[in-house]
Amino acid sequence: MTMFDVVVIGGGPSGATAAEDLARSGQKVALLDREGRIKPCGGAVPPRLIQDFAIPDSQIVARINTARMISPTQRQVDIPIENGYVGMVDREHFDAFLRDRAEAAGATRYTGTFLRIERDEECTRVLYREKATGETQILQTRLIIGADGARSSVAKAEVPGGDKIPYVIAYHEIIEAPEATAQYDPLRCDVIYDGKISPDFYGWVFPHGKSASVGMGTGIDGVDLKKATAELRVASGLEHCRTIRREGAPIPLRPMDRWDNGRDVVLAGDAAGVVAPSSGEGIYYAVVGGRVAATAAAACLATGRVRDLGLARKLFMREHKQVFRVLGAMQNAYYRSDERRERFVSLCHDIDVQRLTFEAYMNKRLVKARPLAHLKIGIKNLAHLTRLVSETRV
């Protein structure tokens, strides 16, 4: 039986990126994926992802130049995206492209459902149910990367806290996009902060070229996601568009405190909880999570030190911890009521808020170049949270 250096469980953006990086570095890699499952996702990718991970133009189905924020009272704030664009991908094709690229780099593909991990003195074994035959198969390996999603079976079985990741449930419908209308712009993303759509998160209308993603997320039990999405389609003038597919899945709310088991497993992507608070953005952080997991695995294989698996979380948090902290504070402050959401959209009128927000989004780091702008935003934010200003003022 073949002995792999690493078995990557999960073939989404995180797992496929980890498999590709390891294969390119000369490791013997297996990529195990169920296939046939498309994660519900708005599909937005920033320029930094496109550049850092060599995403070709063929995968970008739309180039967004404006974001529209919509408040509970239907206040609309259009934020232009200066000096670039937000790319949109369709996960059905984007994930397949990344898996194919990993295979082309040298990773060996397997299609099936992960069952469990077994060990003896000789090696670690990954057992899975092969999709084609339904039979249980075994992959022998030195290390494992668990990239199997927000409800990761690998995390639950192997990593402390892996069964307690907080999450929201996201649901969306991919529809056949209409021509541009008074309500729908194929170059604009709409983000709806309205408790009638989502009492604790937001709804969205994201163009994908010939199609569009319309959906919402919530962490509150009892919310009818399909009903809320139907109401959002009506409010957006999209109720008569043909529905192509419907998808739902959990989205984690914060990174786990630990990503490895101190032995032979390290987590990546949603399995490690790396989705940005407030925005729910996950694709960029997934591929970065895959890369740092690959880096940690390669280090462990080279040195034989299992503590090197901890590099994955250290490297990720070193660059992104502050952004996650700021976004988490913003979600806690503004998503709790329609009054707060109204004030948040009002705050987005500010030109400094707009510029700094999108500079941070495009480049994936907090901007420190304009301290006076940060001070102004901080004062205005405090004024809104303490109700020193009316939400009707700009």
Side-chain angles (χ1 to χ4, degrees), residues 9-50:
I9 300 172
S14 187
T17 299
E20 181 189 359
D21 280 6
L22 286 164
R24 291 193 186 282
S25 69
Q27 309 294 342
K28 194 169 186 62
V29 184
L31 176 59
L32 172 64
D33 186 64
R34 288 185 296 173
E35 290 194 354
R37 175 186 177 276
I38 308 168
K39 181 182 176 182
C41 178
V45 294
R48 186 172 174 188
L49 183 151
I50 296 169

Side-chain angles (χ1 to χ4, degrees), residues 194-325:
D194 186 344
K196 293 191 296 293
I197 300 301
S198 172
D200 59 327
F201 206 54
Y202 64 82
W204 67 83
V205 177
F206 287 177
H208 287 179
K210 294 181 180 179
S211 64
S213 165
V214 184
M216 52 77 69
T218 181
I220 297 177
D221 291 338
V223 175
D224 190 329
L225 284 77
K226 292 184 178 180
K227 180 175 181 290
T229 301
E231 292 173 354
L232 176 56
R233 288 182 61 168
V234 171
S236 304
L238 301 171
E239 69 271 27
H240 299 302
C241 296
R242 183 176 71 88
T243 301
I244 298 172
R245 63 179 190 265
R246 298 176 174 88
E247 299 152 357
I251 299 177
L253 290 176
R254 65 174 180 84
M256 288 178 58
D257 295 330
R258 183 169 177 176
W259 294 8
D260 69 277
N261 68 349
R263 182 176 184 177
D264 54 7
V265 173
V266 61
L267 305 177
D270 281 10
V274 292
V275 172
S278 179
S279 68
E281 181 193 359
I283 300 178
Y284 172 77
Y285 296 110
V287 295
V288 171
R291 178 151 289 175
V292 296
T295 300
C300 181
L301 290 168
T303 64
R305 298 190 302 250
V306 294
R307 68 174 181 270
D308 285 345
L309 294 176
L311 285 172
R313 190 179 190 279
K314 290 179 182 178
L315 291 171
F316 184 94
M317 298 305 286
R318 180 183 299 168
E319 183 168 2
H320 301 291
K321 177 174 68 176
Q322 190 62 20
V323 171
F324 274 51
R325 182 176 295 168

Side-chain angles (χ1 to χ4, degrees), residues 193 199-201 277-278 324-345 347 378 380-387:
Y193 298 99
D200 59 327
F201 206 54
S278 179
F324 274 51
R325 182 176 295 168
V326 169
L327 291 175
M330 187 176 77
Q331 180 171 336
N332 290 334
Y334 285 111
Y335 285 20
R336 62 179 61 180
S337 71
D338 273 356
E339 180 194 8
R340 291 289 185 94
R341 283 184 274 266
E342 195 72 41
R343 290 179 180 275
F344 172 66
V345 174
L347 185 64
K380 190 167 185 179
N381 182 57
L382 181 62
H384 274 276
L385 290 176
T386 57
R387 298 183 177 86

